[in-house]
Amino acid sequence: MPQPAQRKEHPLSMRLPDTDIAIIDRAARLRGRSRTDFVRDAAVRAAEEVLMETTPIRMTAEGFDAFLAAVSGPAVPVPEMVELFRRVAPWEADRPVTGE
C-alpha cells in the first residue's frame, strides 16, 4: 500500500501591530484569502523578486554576443502590442481617441 505524502510545514510566528493586522486582513478579505495564505503568498513573491534581482545569469561568450546583438539592434514593433496601446481603456470609453 503506498505511503501518503508527508507534508513538511514550518511554523512562522510574527508580532505585528494591530494596524498592520487590520491592513493585511482587509486585503486578504478583498482577495478572498485567509490571512495565512495572503501573507505567505506576499512573502514568497517578495523573496522571489529579491532572488531574481541578485541571481547571476551565466552564459557562453557566444550566447552573450547573441544577447547583446538582440538588445542593441533596432526596435521592432510587435503588432499585438501596437494594437493594445491603440485601444481605449474601458474606463475611458466615453473619451474620444486622440492622436490618429
Side-chain angles (χ1 to χ4, degrees):
M1 180 187 251
Q3 294 285 336
Q6 198 172 19
R7 276 180 81 168
K8 295 183 179 179
E9 295 182 356
H10 302 276
L12 176 65
S13 177
M14 295 188 292
R15 285 179 172 67
L16 299 172
D18 289 341
T19 53
D20 289 354
I21 292 294
I23 291 170
I24 291 167
D25 286 349
R26 183 175 177 197
R29 275 194 307 276
L30 287 171
R31 292 285 187 239
R33 311 288 304 272
S34 70
R35 179 190 300 161
T36 299
D37 286 344
F38 186 85
V39 171
R40 180 183 54 240
D41 289 348
V44 169
R45 209 171 25 255
E48 289 172 342
E49 286 177 20
V50 169
L51 294 174
M52 291 299 291
E53 291 171 0
T54 59
T55 300
I57 298 173
R58 301 186 195 312
M59 62 182 74
T60 64
E62 296 81 17
F64 186 69
D65 289 342
F67 171 76
L68 282 181
V71 297
S72 299
V76 178
V78 177
E80 295 85 0
M81 293 298 292
V82 172
E83 166 59 25
L84 178 66
F85 283 111
R86 286 192 176 152
R87 288 187 210 158
V88 176
W91 56 88
E92 295 177 335
D94 295 337
R95 292 184 180 178
V97 177
T98 60
E100 292 186 348

